[in-house]
Amino acid sequence: MRIRMRYALAGALALAFVQGASAEELVIAVYGGSFHDDTKTCHVAAFEKATGAKGVTVLGSSVQTAARLRATRGKPDVDVAYMDLEVAVQAKAEGLLEKIDTRKLAHIGDIVPSAIDPDGHYIGFMTAATVIAYNPQVVKTPPTSWADLWKPEFKGKLALGDITGTSGLHFLLAVNRMRGGTLENLDPGFAAVKELLPSAVTLYTQADQIVSLFERGDVVIAPWYPDRIGSAAAKGVPVAVAYPKEGGVGILPTVSIPKGAKNPQLALKYIDVLLSPEGQKCFAEKKFAGPVNRKVELSPEAAKIVPFGESLEKLWFPDAQYVAAHRQAWTERWKREMAR
């Protein structure tokens, strides 16, 4: 009888341990590719070491993550969501995000105020941009303008982002602005992209889809992100960064806690790791991401790639509220006019 009781007790303890371990899992919706790899190295591993909890990642673009939150409204299957600013603004407006208790974030005082949502529903954790990526082995004169993508020598050697990704939307807005359009009138931008579309070999939907295209020489120029370009170049991919004279389009990737998340307190601990000087420094050097923690100093190598100094000052940040309100309509128009 005692033996049976001991076995029963051991079984109950084992079950409790498994249930406890499950409760200490933090599910993080994050961008894919090299961004995901460096997130695991710089942030997830440090979070796991600090808390003893397990960080589980699910991959998707900002738009895909927002769609996930809508589909699971009130009972999300993720605890932390990475989304670019315009998408986070829309998710906030739809009531999909919890208010972050910043009093429980040890490093919030070191974060530049402009990175923090005034209402506390999201925090920008890095600065990035949509700029021009090019192959320096083929393109001997670095591009200096968005207009350079229309040069005849790039026909059939160009990749563009689809509007469902940030680079596709930003390129549309950038060329619209370059050709005299406004956020209220995107006709010049749609006309410009439609004109360029026959020169493109693909409309990529995930940021790292074009890495292999640069590796094989299938493309030599594309709107892309400095952090992705820096990561690819560090691995030997023939690609370099060019900031157009009109200014790159600024990106503020954000982190938030979905409303109804199962582990909000654990999510706060993860966000604190993300914002710490160590987490910011690691990510800035590995991912070439502009830090928002004022205590971080960039290495000379990183400073050449991330939005920094003059390139940061020239970034154009479209009105996030307006973009969020009109993105769906622009996407529907894109689907009609950019069908290939």
Side-chain angles (χ1 to χ4, degrees):
M1 178 64 72
R2 289 179 180 175
I3 293 175
R4 288 178 183 171
M5 288 180 65
R6 281 200 294 268
Y7 275 120
L9 179 60
L13 289 172
L15 179 60
F17 177 80
V18 171
Q19 290 174 337
S22 177
E24 288 297 302
E25 269 192 358
L26 185 76
V27 184
I28 307 158
V30 67
Y31 313 127
S34 59
F35 194 104
H36 170 250
D37 297 339
D38 293 327
T39 293
K40 291 196 73 173
T41 299
C42 293
H43 301 141
V44 177
F47 163 77
E48 291 179 336
K49 183 177 180 180
T51 64
K54 181 175 178 57
V56 179
T57 53
V58 294
L59 309 185
S61 68
S62 298
V63 172
Q64 290 168 336
T65 295
R68 187 184 195 113
L69 299 188
R70 292 186 192 102
T72 58
R73 179 185 292 271
K75 295 183 178 180
D77 56 0
V78 299
D79 302 299
V80 175
Y82 283 61
M83 293 180 287
D84 288 344
L85 179 60
E86 296 88 349
V87 181
V89 167
Q90 183 61 41
K92 170 187 167 182
E94 294 177 30
L96 298 173
L97 306 181
E98 292 280 10
K99 187 168 184 177
I100 298 172
D101 188 353
T102 56
R103 297 170 302 176
K104 296 183 178 180
L105 299 177
H107 304 290
I108 196 68
D110 299 324
I111 305 305
V112 294
S114 60
I116 304 169
D117 172 32
D119 298 323
H121 289 84
Y122 54 79
I123 299 172
F125 61 89
M126 61 174 277
T127 57
T130 297
V131 296
I132 301 172
Y134 71 99
N135 183 332
Q137 298 175 3
V138 177
V139 184
K140 299 301 183 181
T141 302
T144 60
S145 169
W146 291 117
D148 289 342
L149 276 71
W150 276 260
K151 287 183 175 180
E153 59 262 36
F154 298 141
K155 186 171 184 178
K157 291 290 184 178
L158 163 74
L160 296 176
D162 186 77
I163 197 172
T164 55
T166 298
S167 72
L169 174 62
H170 278 183
F171 181 64
L172 170 66
L173 297 180
V175 298
N176 181 70
R177 184 170 178 243
M178 182 180 70
R179 294 201 176 185
T182 64
L183 289 180
E184 292 77 20
N185 176 23
L186 260 58
D187 290 347
F190 274 100
V193 175
K194 195 170 184 179
E195 174 189 317
L196 186 61
L197 198 58
S199 296
V201 299
T202 187
L203 289 173
Y204 66 89
T205 57
Q206 297 293 327
D208 279 0
Q209 284 177 335
I210 58 174
V211 172
S212 60
L213 299 180
F214 271 106
E215 283 179 320
R216 296 195 303 264
D218 293 340
V219 302
V220 299
I221 195 167
W224 207 20
Y225 313 118
D227 58 304
R228 303 285 181 152
I229 298 168
S231 294
K235 295 176 182 177
V237 179
V239 65
V241 174
Y243 281 84
K245 63 185 181 183
E246 300 88 359
V249 186
I251 301 173
L252 186 69
T254 73
V255 65
S256 54
I257 302 174
K259 184 162 287 187
K262 295 176 183 177
N263 294 299
Q265 298 306 311
L266 210 54
L268 287 169
K269 293 179 181 179
Y270 177 81
I271 292 173
D272 216 24
V273 169
L274 187 65
L275 299 178
S276 70
E278 299 79 12
Q280 292 269 296
K281 175 73 171 176
C282 177
F283 208 62
E285 299 296 334
K286 286 185 175 294
K287 193 73 204 84
F288 302 98
V292 296
N293 188 310
R294 288 172 291 202
K295 291 185 175 179
V296 177
E297 293 185 8
L298 293 177
S299 69
E301 293 76 16
K304 292 177 183 177
I305 296 174
V306 307
F308 189 72
E310 182 181 355
S311 63
L312 178 59
E313 292 173 4
K314 291 183 68 175
L315 288 186
W316 172 51
F317 286 86
D319 186 303
Q321 297 281 354
Y322 192 91
V323 171
H326 293 82
R327 182 168 188 152
Q328 185 58 40
W330 295 340
T331 300
E332 292 303 320
R333 181 177 177 181
W334 178 283
K335 289 178 181 177
R336 293 192 306 268
E337 297 188 17
M338 304 300 172
R340 306 186 69 178

